[in-house]
Amino acid sequence: AITAGGIVRFSLLLFVAFSLIMEVPRSTLLQAAKVIGEAKHILICAGAGMGVDSGLPDFRGPEGFWRAYPPMKALGLEFSQVSNPQSFHKDPRFGWGFFGHRYHLYSQAEPHAGYHILKKWLASKASGHVFTSNVDGHFLKAGFPEDLVVECHGSIHFLQCFNESDCQRKDKIWAAGDQLKSLTIDPSSFLAELPLPKCDACGSLVRPNILMFGDWGWNGDRTEAQEERFSRWLA
């Protein structure tokens, strides 16, 4: 049986092994490896640090964000002020400049070797699951089964309409596909060039299916379906 205590234990060990690997004694790592090796079930929890070895920024603190996006420092804007639906409402080119750049960055980067090690671990167990706050889609890109992954903040690779309440589109969340591949970003201003991504059904501006700061318009249906599968696994 999968117990809550077991889930927490495995999650903490994975956190230690991958987030603090350079700061913990070898004996601790060996102990973690032993417990993981003996485990029948495994839960992999990952945050922003997971993508650093793939060349992705983690946005830790204002300075970390500004190193990745210098124009935002000149404007005095922090991550929470940019990763916000208001960015699109105030200036759609600004909103899509930031998220369009992130899309291209995440799409061009490759999951590092750690993803494939974790995938082997998961495949060797009776069962397992992934729970991540990352929106880069790298667990799926690395080949993890889609039904075993929870992306609790959504994914940059999916879109939704800003005019969702009035839009007649049947699929309220859809894969970005070519809509974002063709989006061009000015590298000096980080503003998106026209035309911006629009909804095929109603012509309104679209947005990433990502939970942003101060976001009351996020459609969480895709993530909720993932969380339902996760809850069934825990049970």
Side-chain angles (χ1 to χ4, degrees), residues 1-2 10 35-42 122 124-128 233:
I2 304 171
F10 300 145
V35 173
I36 292 170
E38 295 173 350
K40 293 182 179 180
H41 311 279
I42 192 166
L122 190 148
S124 70
K125 304 303 179 184
S127 72
W233 176 72

Side-chain angles (χ1 to χ4, degrees), residues 48-118:
M50 185 69 185
V52 171
D53 284 348
S54 292
L56 304 181
D58 59 17
F59 302 148
R60 287 177 179 164
E63 292 299 331
F65 175 58
W66 290 335
R67 278 195 298 272
Y69 295 93
M72 306 307 172
K73 183 174 184 178
L75 295 172
L77 296 175
E78 298 186 11
F79 179 51
S80 61
Q81 297 170 296
V82 178
S83 183
N84 192 303
Q86 292 303 315
S87 294
F88 291 92
H89 295 310
K90 292 177 181 178
D91 185 350
R93 291 185 63 205
F94 180 83
W96 266 119
F98 175 61
F99 280 99
H101 180 270
R102 289 180 72 186
Y103 170 80
H104 292 310
L105 182 66
Y106 296 168
S107 297
Q108 293 165 9
E110 292 296 326
H112 56 75
Y115 284 93
H116 302 291
I117 293 172
L118 289 175

Side-chain angles (χ1 to χ4, degrees), residues 132-217:
T132 180
S133 58
N134 296 341
V135 300
D136 53 34
H138 274 203
F139 277 100
L140 298 182
K141 190 174 184 179
F144 283 75
E146 189 168 358
D147 61 343
L148 300 183
V149 177
V150 177
E151 296 165 309
C152 66
H153 290 166
S155 170
I156 195 94
H157 301 285
F158 288 83
L159 302 173
Q160 66 178 83
C161 182
F162 256 117
N163 187 36
E164 191 173 83
S165 59
D166 296 324
C167 183
Q168 300 302 309
R169 188 182 185 116
K170 293 182 179 179
D171 52 334
K172 299 299 184 181
I173 301 172
W174 65 94
D178 293 337
Q179 279 190 280
L180 296 190
K181 289 179 182 178
S182 59
L183 186 63
T184 303
I185 313 300
D186 185 312
S188 59
S189 66
F190 278 95
L191 293 177
E193 297 182 4
L194 300 176
L196 300 178
K198 297 291 181 67
C199 175
D200 294 338
C202 70
S204 299
L205 186 72
V206 302
R207 51 162 284 178
N209 183 235
I210 289 175
L211 179 60
M212 308 177 202
F213 292 90
D215 193 351
W216 299 102

